[in-house]
Amino acid sequence: MSDPRSKQAREVLGRTEPFERATQICNLEVMAQINGRERSQRADFVNAEATAPVQIRDSDIEAAGAAYRSRDKWFRLRFTCKLNRAGDEVVDIRFTPGAPIPRRDWEKYSLMIDDHPMHD
């Protein structure tokens, strides 16, 4: 998020409700981390609440039921994210990418294709 190319994203996030802002900051960071660590993956979207609600305690976010999209497939994801006191910067993030989510389950979890919800 500190990259100058992220200026527009930071401005938009600055106008969102605190819960949503915190979740989106963590989503963006975990997506960047996946792309930096998992060479075969190109994550382009993270849904922190795909299969379970996000838990927030103070500046800690736990997303046990997250998912990420890579190369038109969805994968399970679990992450914990700690923000600074202001809630605008990630100070620690830990994540575990998981198994692919079967396409038949995408609609059930409101996962998207091409940034639109999937409908058969």
Side-chain angles (χ1 to χ4, degrees):
M1 289 295 293
S2 61
D3 187 309
R5 294 173 293 184
S6 299
K7 181 181 180 197
Q8 184 179 8
R10 285 192 311 271
E11 289 172 358
V12 169
L13 287 172
R15 296 187 301 262
T16 60
E17 182 267 324
F19 170 81
E20 180 67 22
R21 179 175 52 246
T23 303
Q24 290 302 319
I25 289 169
C26 291
N27 285 351
L28 291 168
E29 182 63 27
V30 78
M31 188 167 53
Q33 294 283 329
I34 290 168
N35 289 338
R37 187 173 95 177
E38 305 289 328
R39 294 265 182 213
S40 65
Q41 301 292 317
R42 280 289 129 228
D44 65 357
F45 197 90
V46 172
N47 179 335
E49 298 187 287
T51 65
V54 168
Q55 302 296 314
I56 297 183
R57 285 176 218 73
D58 300 320
S59 60
D60 296 333
I61 294 176
E62 182 177 347
Y68 71 95
R69 184 177 63 192
S70 174
R71 304 184 193 275
D72 297 324
K73 295 179 182 163
W74 283 94
F75 297 85
R76 295 187 183 281
L77 174 67
R78 174 183 208 98
F79 71 84
T80 58
C81 178
K82 182 171 186 63
L83 299 172
N84 65 357
R85 189 174 293 230
D88 61 0
E89 186 177 321
V90 174
V91 295
D92 186 44
I93 193 155
R94 297 171 195 276
F95 66 96
T96 304
I101 298 172
R103 188 176 183 94
R104 69 181 175 271
D105 294 338
W106 292 5
E107 187 171 8
K108 174 172 68 173
Y109 298 132
S110 299
L111 300 175
M112 302 177 297
I113 299 173
D114 299 327
D115 298 331
H116 300 289
M118 182 184 150
H119 297 288
D120 288 334

